[in-house]
Amino acid sequence: DAGVTQSPTHLIKTRGQQVTLRCSPISGHKSVSWYQQVLGQGPQFIFQYYEKEERGRGNFPDRFSARQFPNYSSELNVNALLLGDSALYLCASSLGNEQYFGPGTRLTVT
Amino acid sequence: GIQVEQSPPDLILQEGANSTLRCNFSDSVNNLQWFHQNPWGQLINLFYIPSGTKQNGRLSATTVATERYSLLYISSSQTTDSGVYFCAATNTGFQKLVFGTGTRLLVSP
C-alpha cells in the first residue's frame, strides 16, 4: 500500500511570494495534519483536518492556511513568505490515533 | 499544553552496543509515538505506545503512563540505526502531536 505522499519534494521561493504544498493521505485515512520542522528542532503542529473540517490549529500566523478535499487530500498555503518559513513541511495522515508521516517538502525562502 | 522532553540529546555508540532513550511528558496522554528520522527527513514509525510494552525485533519500548515517561531500547545497535529519534505525545481531542527535541544517535562501525 502506498504511504503518505507529498509534492513537491523541494521548492525554492523568494520572500513575499506564496506557496502551495500538497499531501495525499494513506488510502482510507480521513484525517490529515501538517507540521513544520525547522533545522535542528522537532516538528511543530500547524493544522489538523478531518472530513474537510479544521479540527485544530497550532501557533502559526494567519499567513498559513490549509484545506482538505473530498478525496481527503490536502493543501497547505503560505502567503507573504518570510526567510523564517524555510523548513521541512511534513504531512501526516491517520485513521485512529496513530499518525503516519510523508517524506516532506523542503521549502527554501531566499 | 503538554511538554515533552527527551534525553540524552546526543548518543555515540559502537556497533553492537545497547542503548536506552528516555522521554518524559508533563501530563497524561492519549497518544505517544516514537519515530526515527532518517537523513532525508522521513519520519519512520517505530511504536505507537500510550501505555504498556511493545517489541519489534531489536527495538522495544515501554511507557509508564502513571509516572509520565517512556523508554526506547535499542539492542545490538547497527550503523543503520543512526539518525534522530523523536518521541511525540498528545492529550488533546484532536491529534496535535507535541514532539520532543530528539536524541541524535550515531553508531560507528
Side-chain angles (χ1 to χ4, degrees):
Chain A
D1 288 341
V4 178
T5 59
Q6 293 186 242
S7 63
T9 305
H10 294 88
L11 203 52
I12 299 175
K13 290 286 190 178
T14 303
R15 275 177 297 176
Q17 287 188 316
Q18 175 263 342
V19 69
T20 298
L21 312 181
R22 295 174 176 83
C23 171
S24 291
I26 293 171
S27 177
H29 287 195
K30 299 181 179 180
S31 175
V32 169
S33 300
W34 287 95
Y35 292 79
Q36 180 197 65
Q37 186 177 21
V38 175
L39 195 63
Q41 298 181 18
Q44 298 284 318
F45 174 81
I46 309 175
F47 286 111
Q48 190 219 352
Y49 276 77
Y50 178 77
E51 292 277 15
K52 299 178 288 180
E53 296 290 326
E54 180 184 305
R55 294 194 68 194
R57 183 185 186 110
N59 188 24
F60 281 81
D62 292 343
R63 300 185 296 108
F64 288 76
S65 64
R67 56 180 175 169
Q68 187 177 30
F69 299 99
N71 66 354
Y72 303 112
S73 67
S74 178
E75 288 182 350
L76 175 70
N77 295 286
V78 186
N79 293 323
L81 285 167
L82 303 174
L83 294 179
D85 295 331
S86 294
L88 179 67
Y89 288 84
L90 295 163
C91 172
S93 77
S94 60
L95 182 61
N97 280 346
E98 186 173 5
Q99 295 191 38
Y100 298 85
F101 283 79
T105 293
R106 194 167 297 278
L107 172 65
T108 301
V109 182
T110 62
Chain B
I2 193 170
Q3 296 180 351
V4 178
E5 296 181 350
Q6 292 185 243
S7 60
D10 296 281
L11 193 55
I12 300 175
L13 299 174
Q14 288 279 343
E15 202 168 23
N18 302 328
S19 61
T20 301
L21 283 59
R22 186 177 179 102
C23 171
N24 293 330
F25 42 94
S26 60
D27 204 345
S28 59
V29 297
N30 54 29
N31 180 5
L32 189 138
Q33 293 185 243
W34 282 97
F35 298 94
H36 176 210
Q37 189 165 43
N38 67 22
W40 297 272
Q42 174 84 55
L43 281 170
I44 298 165
N45 287 43
L46 297 178
F47 294 101
Y48 166 72
I49 188 166
S51 64
T53 297
K54 292 186 178 180
Q55 181 160 5
N56 184 5
R58 296 181 296 104
L59 274 59
S60 63
T62 295
T63 298
V64 184
T66 53
E67 298 187 19
R68 300 181 183 168
Y69 72 88
S70 183
L71 302 175
L72 177 68
Y73 305 96
I74 305 174
S75 64
S76 304
S77 57
Q78 301 175 358
T79 56
T80 52
D81 295 331
S82 296
V84 182
Y85 289 79
F86 285 105
C87 167
T90 184
N91 60 359
T92 60
F94 59 95
Q95 292 139 14
K96 173 188 174 180
L97 279 177
V98 176
F99 282 75
T101 50
T103 292
R104 186 174 302 274
L105 175 64
L106 177 63
V107 181
S108 56

